[in-house]
Amino acid sequence: MTIALIAHDAKKELMVQFCIAYCGILSRHHIVSTGTTGKLVSEATGLEITKFLSGPQGGDQQIASRISYNEIDLLLFFRDPISAKSGEPNEHTLLRLCDVHNIPVATNIATGEALIHALERGDLDWRDIVKPNR
């Protein structure tokens, strides 16, 4: 599976800690990320991560494009719900695309852990049925 990682500035350290905790599971999958998040996670975990541009420079849109082309299977997007972001309309588009293309998405650590455990158990294999053209 291809897993995409995105984290707002206030949630980057949480994403790093999450990826350290679940490095063993994540290492069995292809990981892509926005630039800064990917750099921080890669440095902390040693995971090989395909890094796109940083979010404000279009990294979110690069990931959204890959979702549209069925190249992303799971999105971990740790959002800061308190602070308004200048790129927020792009975030809504990203989340809408996940809904349109049936991409499991976690916007917080609790849902992230639920999806990671489901991934480890093999519970996300339904995607082969939903997207047979992959």
Side-chain angles (χ1 to χ4, degrees):
M1 286 193 144
T2 298
I3 301 170
L5 307 177
I6 302 173
H8 285 155
D9 288 346
K11 300 293 181 173
K12 286 192 190 318
E13 182 58 31
L14 180 63
M15 178 66 80
V16 168
Q17 294 304 315
F18 178 88
C19 291
I20 289 170
Y22 295 106
C23 188
I25 297 168
L26 293 170
S27 68
R28 297 190 294 265
H29 301 278
H30 180 233
I31 309 295
V32 301
S33 182
T34 50
T36 307
T37 299
K39 179 180 182 278
L40 293 170
V41 170
S42 180
E43 288 173 353
T45 64
L47 288 169
E48 185 175 321
I49 299 175
T50 301
K51 293 177 253 340
F52 299 121
L53 297 171
S54 68
Q57 294 178 336
D60 296 347
Q61 293 172 344
Q62 289 177 297
I63 289 175
S65 172
R66 279 152 179 85
I67 289 169
S68 296
Y69 285 100
N70 295 324
E71 296 174 3
I72 303 291
D73 300 300
L74 179 93
L75 174 62
L76 300 175
F77 181 8
F78 289 0
R79 301 172 63 210
D80 177 6
I82 305 300
S83 303
K85 307 291 180 284
S86 61
E88 209 163 307
N90 291 334
E91 294 170 17
H92 292 290
T93 299
L94 184 67
L95 296 173
R96 182 185 63 77
L97 285 170
C98 287
D99 288 341
V100 168
H101 295 280
N102 290 312
I103 305 299
V105 59
T107 58
N108 58 59
I109 193 165
T111 309
E113 288 185 333
L115 286 178
I116 284 293
H117 289 298
L119 181 64
E120 184 177 31
R121 288 189 310 266
D123 292 347
L124 298 180
D125 291 341
W126 63 271
R127 298 199 26 86
D128 294 331
I129 297 166
V130 175
K131 293 186 173 187
N133 61 339
R134 288 217 47 203

